[in-house]
Amino acid sequence: MNETLKRTISGAVYIALLLTSILFSTESFILLFGLFLVITIYEFSNIVYLNKIFSILFGVVLYSSILLVSHYNKETTDFINRNFDTNVVLKTNIQQLDLVLLAVTIVVSIKCIIFLFYDSVQKVSISSKYLYLLGYITLPFVFIVKISFGTNDYNPKIILGLFVLIWTNDTFAYLVGKSIGKHKLFERVSPKKTIEGFLGGAVFAAFAGYLISKLYIQPTPEFSNRSILIWTGIAIIVSIFGTIGDLIESKFKRIAGVKDSGSIMPGHGGILDRLDSVIFVAPIIFLFYQILYYVS
């Protein structure tokens, strides 16, 4: 089987699995991204030489606990009381919890950006590795789930729209960069990325955001203009921070001396290679939603 065919098949399986889980139910979406989290932690632990078992247990427990408390509080309380013969009442201020998690994630994201620009840094300390495991890997998966709920209930259109924007940005950044790219974007980390490719991805992502707001989200007429601004804004965020996320993962791989984070997807690499943009973008999109909610 040639490389192009392997890449096409594994990509199609990945997209089909993603779409099915998102559209089928909230639980299937959460479970799939829980599985993706396990694989991503395994791959990240390989790259930075962390204890895989502890890292996976840490990530799974944190991911599960936060989502159960945030979105299944009543069901979790009933389960504990029924099975352990207790009368526990789980009271959680979700907004405060989200703000704390967001603050931690944003701080780690800033640390990741600083790490990206530090040429002298060619190894990562143990404390930094676990900090990245928390704020660069695990918590972004929590925010991927949280942004799919919007301001109320689970809405698959939000997360599907986000992935469409990321795929559009990546595809056209590659095509434009390959066609007319001459000026390197960040050569010492990713030699193939160009400024022209970045701008081309941003323009097409913004156009995709416009189409999503008009044809897919289909807001009420009085909300139409605002919806266009929101989705084109999300597209710009995706273009900027998705590219940064891709570069940060490239920096980790460059230090480790590996081409891909894993080999689970023939022709594509690992799950971290596929999700490096979305995990860096997700907390920023969640912050964007919070700002919109509080100023509206």
Side-chain angles (χ1 to χ4, degrees):
M1 187 182 295
N2 64 48
E3 192 66 22
T4 302
L5 184 57
K6 285 195 296 185
R7 184 179 176 86
T8 301
I9 293 174
S10 63
V13 170
Y14 166 72
I15 292 173
L17 187 62
L18 196 64
L19 294 178
T20 302
S21 70
I22 292 172
L23 295 172
F24 184 73
S25 70
T26 312
E27 288 72 27
S28 62
F29 168 63
I30 291 173
L31 288 172
L32 178 67
F33 273 84
L35 176 61
F36 282 170
L37 173 62
V38 170
I39 299 170
T40 301
I41 291 176
Y42 179 86
E43 293 173 349
F44 181 73
S45 299
N46 266 338
I47 293 174
V48 301
Y49 305 106
L50 276 178
N51 182 292
K52 297 180 187 66
I53 296 176
F54 174 80
S55 298
I56 289 171
L57 285 174
F58 170 79
V60 169
V61 169
L62 186 63
Y63 175 83
S64 304
S65 301
I66 293 172
L67 294 182
L68 285 173
V69 169
S70 298
H71 302 292
Y72 296 92
N73 194 290
K74 184 179 184 302
E75 293 85 351
T76 303
T77 301
D78 291 343
F79 176 83
I80 293 173
N81 290 335
R82 184 171 61 252
N83 288 276
F84 297 96
D85 195 26
T86 58
N87 194 27
V88 173
V89 178
L90 294 178
K91 289 185 177 180
T92 307
N93 188 318
I94 306 301
Q95 288 184 334
Q96 287 185 359
L97 174 64
D98 288 346
L99 288 175
V100 170
L101 297 177
L102 186 59
V104 171
T105 309
I106 295 299
V107 168
V108 176
S109 296
I110 293 171
K111 179 176 171 61
C112 285
I113 294 172
I114 294 171
F115 165 71
L116 176 63
F117 283 92
Y118 272 12
D119 291 340
S120 60
V121 176
Q122 291 302 319
K123 63 179 182 178
V124 185
S125 66
I126 293 294
S127 59
S128 291
K129 290 176 183 180
Y130 282 107
L131 195 61
Y132 292 136
L133 175 66
L134 171 65
Y136 170 63
I137 301 293
T138 306
L139 290 181
F141 274 85
V142 172
F143 285 114
I144 289 173
V145 175
K146 282 184 172 291
I147 61 178
S148 69
F149 281 82
T151 56
N152 295 303
D153 297 324
Y154 177 67
N155 184 353
K157 288 187 175 183
I158 295 175
I159 198 68
L160 282 177
L162 177 58
F163 272 102
V164 167
L165 292 178
I166 287 173
W167 294 334
T168 301
N169 180 70
D170 290 349
T171 300
F172 283 96
Y174 170 77
L175 293 176
V176 173
K178 189 175 181 180
S179 301
I180 62 172
K182 293 181 180 179
H183 302 87
K184 300 299 182 182
L185 180 66
F186 211 111
E187 188 172 10
R188 61 180 178 267
V189 172
S190 185
K192 294 182 180 180
K193 280 186 169 51
T194 64
I195 294 174
E196 292 85 354
F198 167 73
L199 293 175
V203 168
F204 279 96
F207 181 62
Y210 171 81
L211 293 179
I212 288 170
S213 67
K214 295 295 287 185
L215 305 177
Y216 186 53
I217 301 299
Q218 295 180 332
T220 56
E222 60 270 19
F223 191 71
S224 179
N225 289 335
R226 190 177 177 201
S227 178
I228 291 171
L229 289 174
I230 289 172
W231 279 97
T232 51
I234 291 174
I236 298 303
I237 291 171
V238 163
S239 298
I240 296 171
F241 290 96
T243 302
I244 293 173
D246 191 13
L247 289 170
I248 289 169
E249 199 229 351
S250 295
K251 178 71 178 282
F252 279 116
K253 290 189 293 186
R254 184 167 288 273
I255 291 176
V258 297
K259 180 183 177 183
D260 298 316
S261 65
S263 57
I264 195 170
M265 292 180 63
H268 291 271
I271 294 297
L272 180 55
D273 292 319
R274 294 301 90 211
L275 296 178
D276 55 0
S277 295
V278 72
I279 63 174
F280 200 76
V281 163
I284 310 299
I285 298 297
F286 184 81
L287 175 61
F288 180 65
Y289 266 109
Q290 297 307 302
I291 293 171
L292 287 177
Y293 178 75
Y294 282 111
V295 300
S296 61

